[in-house]
Amino acid sequence: MPLLDVLRAIEGLPPAVALRTSFVAYPMVNALHILSIGMLVAAVMLMDLRVLGRLSRLDGRAFVATMRPVAGFAFFGAVLTGVALFSIRASEYAFNPAFQVKLALIALAGVNLALFLRAPRHSGLAGQDGFSAAERLSAVASLVLWPAALVAGRFIGFL
């Protein structure tokens, strides 16, 4: 089955039709998507800033461990609502350059997270608060990738 047929079939699913035709559901899902993205980017940026030595009144690893579930919950909410929003115009969004860039940036951010989680924790290059140079580099990349994904997402409706 060609991709365009699959995308049109997604648009025809009952939940997609209900979302597209509801006066209340679409704005609510859209608002939840924006809220989830805001929570995600804020949590990630706070963790990144802590890794980079800011917010130093807080214990670094404990703060990151506390914020990680917040970011995970927000990411789950953003994905869930994002899939719902995608479903109403799947055949348009799939070929939208801004949407493609957004997905690529999110994928890169995921790879970056995996690298952060595998980074050495106790290297000789660790800063005074215990974060390694690799973790700090990952935090800098994250500070670029997540806001860039947010901006790309805002362009979807304009392209």
Side-chain angles (χ1 to χ4, degrees):
M1 178 180 258
L3 177 60
L4 195 54
D5 291 342
V6 171
L7 296 170
R8 287 188 179 134
I10 291 169
E11 293 172 349
L13 292 172
V17 172
L19 185 59
R20 189 171 43 253
T21 58
S22 173
F23 178 73
V24 175
Y26 179 83
M28 294 303 289
V29 170
N30 196 354
L32 286 172
H33 189 63
I34 292 167
L35 176 64
S36 296
I37 292 168
M39 285 176 57
L40 171 63
V41 172
V44 167
M45 290 182 79
L46 288 170
M47 287 187 287
D48 292 338
L49 290 171
R50 183 60 196 95
V51 169
L52 293 171
R54 305 292 183 232
L55 310 171
S56 58
R57 293 183 198 176
L58 307 169
D59 176 72
R61 296 227 180 258
F63 180 75
V64 170
T66 300
M67 293 303 292
R68 192 172 289 139
V70 173
F73 175 79
F75 182 77
F76 177 75
V79 168
L80 190 64
T81 55
V83 167
L85 294 172
F86 173 80
S87 73
I88 67 166
R89 291 190 183 145
S91 61
E92 292 175 36
Y93 292 149
F95 302 104
N96 182 305
F99 180 77
Q100 294 171 348
V101 167
K102 176 183 177 176
L103 291 184
L105 289 165
I106 292 170
L108 286 172
V111 168
N112 185 56
L113 173 61
L115 292 172
F116 177 86
L117 294 173
R118 300 184 118 203
R121 300 268 187 259
H122 302 291
S123 72
L125 299 175
Q128 67 184 29
D129 57 2
F131 290 105
S132 69
E135 289 171 311
R136 290 177 190 277
L137 181 60
S138 181
V140 169
S142 178
L143 281 170
V144 172
L145 290 168
W146 285 110
L150 183 148
V151 170
R154 297 306 89 206
F155 272 91
I156 292 170
F158 297 100
L159 297 180

